[in-house]
Amino acid sequence: MQMGEGVEWALHSCLNLGWNEGEAATAARLAAFYDLPAAYLNKQLQALARAGILTSAPGPRGGFRLGRPLEKITLLDVVVAIEGAEDAFRCRQILKDGPGGSTEVDYRETCVLNGAMRRAELAWRRELAAQTLAEIRDTVERTFPGTPEHTRERLSTLRR
Amino acid sequence: MQMGEGVEWALHSCLNLGWNEGEAATAARLAAFYDLPAAYLNKQLQALARAGILTSAPGPRGGFRLGRPLEKITLLDVVVAIEGAEDAFRCRQILKDGPGGSTEVDYRETCVLNGAMRRAELAWRRELAAQTLAEIRDTVERTFPGTPEHTRERLSTLRR
DNA sequence: GCTCCCATACTCGGATAATAACTGTCCGAGTATGGAAGG
DNA sequence: CCTTCCATACTCGGACAGTTATTATCCGAGTATGGGAGC
């Protein structure tokens, strides 16, 4: 059970876009920032755009920019955009084939194990939803004050 | 990010073993209980045995039985035994290749994003660790009182 | 000098391969069984 | 009848394929640009 690494790329890219002062950045530049495969990062950014987290524009001067301020983007938003909304634990309702199992009952409702697993995942999602990227950004700026300038500098110089 | 379905099989199998009153059950019977592929379930049960959750015995009268009472088996124990102990979100330390990145710094410690993601996973693990299989069993027995008898009945009649 | 137009270079977007993880299967090493042989 | 031994059937355990999901790459549709022609 491993999360795709696109999540990490997407999160860092969103922060970098936040430090870019509303300027658009191409997938190529955002990828060069961390030496990542550009075409693949582009795929992840497309997912963020479909979710409304980013907006995209083609052609010269195009690229990606934030679809809304970092205050309104949570970690959960990004994770769901990249990984999908379905739970990690998926109840296959094997109780259907157990003793007294009925094909008409929805065991996702009645299975006690599924309920406990879902409760744990909800706790995870609650934590993710409680953290906005703005809070992350503020913490980073408090710890490493030079980050905004360095980021903007690098984004404007990479790949011309 | 999906959890292997072996987790669901393992959890239900542990409960069934709990209702089997200390008797050993073979992988074939535990698999026939839910019409699962026997050889593959065997693989999962082996993982549980390596983790000490089950004990295994070869030969006639052999099979698997609980390594300790359900009171001492948590959902987290089973999940870790099947899926491994590593976090779902793995920080690849892409900050190493960012501006001012050093190859000597361990960014799993300093990366704010990684910290937030880890905190969320810890909440998930805490929930899983707080639920013992004994509690699950008790809830099932309260809701479906015939379960212990039905389970034991089926385990002893399946496959001979 | 100013406006309009078009060739150009650039970007996203989705379709297409390569790789790794998960799922499923098979056969061998080892063991308790249970019956037969011997005392 | 009781004990001993051995052939047997059964079990786990790990090694071996098939299938799905993840990672990586490529090329086309569409757009703002910027220079040149025309007024």
Side-chain angles (χ1 to χ4, degrees):
Chain A
M1 189 198 51
Q2 284 181 153
M3 185 171 290
E5 56 185 338
V7 173
E8 187 182 6
W9 304 356
L11 288 169
H12 280 286
S13 294
C14 284
L15 285 180
N16 287 341
L17 282 173
W19 282 313
N20 208 30
E21 301 176 358
E23 291 292 312
T26 69
R29 286 194 194 181
L30 290 170
F33 198 96
Y34 296 119
D35 195 26
L36 302 174
Y40 189 35
L41 175 64
N42 185 25
K43 203 188 187 77
Q44 319 291 350
L45 298 177
Q46 282 177 39
L48 294 180
R50 273 193 295 272
I53 296 172
L54 302 183
T55 60
S56 64
R61 302 278 178 183
F64 295 91
R65 65 191 75 198
L66 290 175
R68 56 180 185 261
L70 290 180
E71 280 78 5
K72 293 185 178 176
I73 303 175
T74 68
L75 294 181
L76 183 62
D77 293 332
V78 176
V79 169
V80 166
I82 302 291
E83 293 288 322
E86 45 197 339
D87 287 351
F89 181 83
R90 48 206 163 143
C91 180
R92 297 292 184 111
Q93 304 191 54
I94 63 178
L95 289 178
K96 272 200 197 320
D97 298 319
S102 164
T103 55
E104 298 175 2
V105 178
D106 186 352
Y107 285 98
R108 284 172 298 189
E109 299 293 335
T110 59
C111 179
V112 179
L113 276 173
N114 187 35
M117 295 300 286
R118 274 173 59 93
R119 220 173 307 132
E121 285 207 32
L122 281 176
W124 176 66
R125 291 180 127 80
R126 194 174 303 121
E127 284 288 320
L128 290 182
Q131 277 279 323
T132 68
L133 284 183
E135 295 170 308
I136 304 286
R137 177 201 56 198
D138 294 343
T139 303
V140 171
E141 292 184 1
R142 253 194 308 276
T143 316
F144 309 98
T147 304
E149 183 187 355
H150 293 155
T151 300
R152 183 149 167 69
E153 166 79 12
R154 185 171 234 239
L155 275 180
S156 54
T157 54
L158 276 172
R159 292 265 172 147
R160 173 171 3 193
Chain B
M1 189 197 50
Q2 282 181 154
M3 186 172 288
E5 55 186 339
V7 172
E8 187 182 7
W9 304 355
L11 289 169
H12 280 286
S13 294
C14 284
L15 285 179
N16 287 341
L17 283 173
W19 282 312
N20 207 31
E21 302 175 357
E23 291 293 313
T26 69
R29 286 194 192 182
L30 289 170
F33 198 95
Y34 296 119
D35 195 26
L36 301 174
Y40 189 34
L41 175 63
N42 185 25
K43 204 187 186 77
Q44 319 292 349
L45 297 177
Q46 282 177 38
L48 294 180
R50 273 193 295 271
I53 297 172
L54 302 182
T55 61
S56 64
R61 303 277 179 183
F64 295 91
R65 64 191 76 198
L66 290 175
R68 56 179 185 263
L70 291 182
E71 280 79 5
K72 293 185 179 177
I73 303 175
T74 68
L75 295 181
L76 183 62
D77 293 332
V78 176
V79 169
V80 166
I82 302 292
E83 294 288 321
E86 45 197 337
D87 287 350
F89 181 83
R90 48 205 162 143
C91 180
R92 297 294 184 112
Q93 304 191 53
I94 63 178
L95 289 179
K96 273 200 196 321
D97 298 319
S102 164
T103 54
E104 298 175 2
V105 178
D106 186 352
Y107 286 97
R108 285 172 297 189
E109 299 292 335
T110 60
C111 180
V112 179
L113 276 172
N114 188 35
M117 295 300 286
R118 274 172 59 94
R119 221 173 307 132
E121 284 205 34
L122 280 176
W124 176 66
R125 290 181 128 79
R126 193 174 303 121
E127 285 288 320
L128 291 181
Q131 278 279 322
T132 68
L133 286 183
E135 295 171 306
I136 304 285
R137 176 201 58 198
D138 293 344
T139 303
V140 171
E141 293 185 0
R142 254 194 307 276
T143 316
F144 308 98
T147 304
E149 183 187 354
H150 294 155
T151 301
R152 183 149 169 67
E153 167 78 13
R154 186 173 235 238
L155 275 180
S156 55
T157 54
L158 277 172
R159 293 263 170 152
R160 175 164 44 120

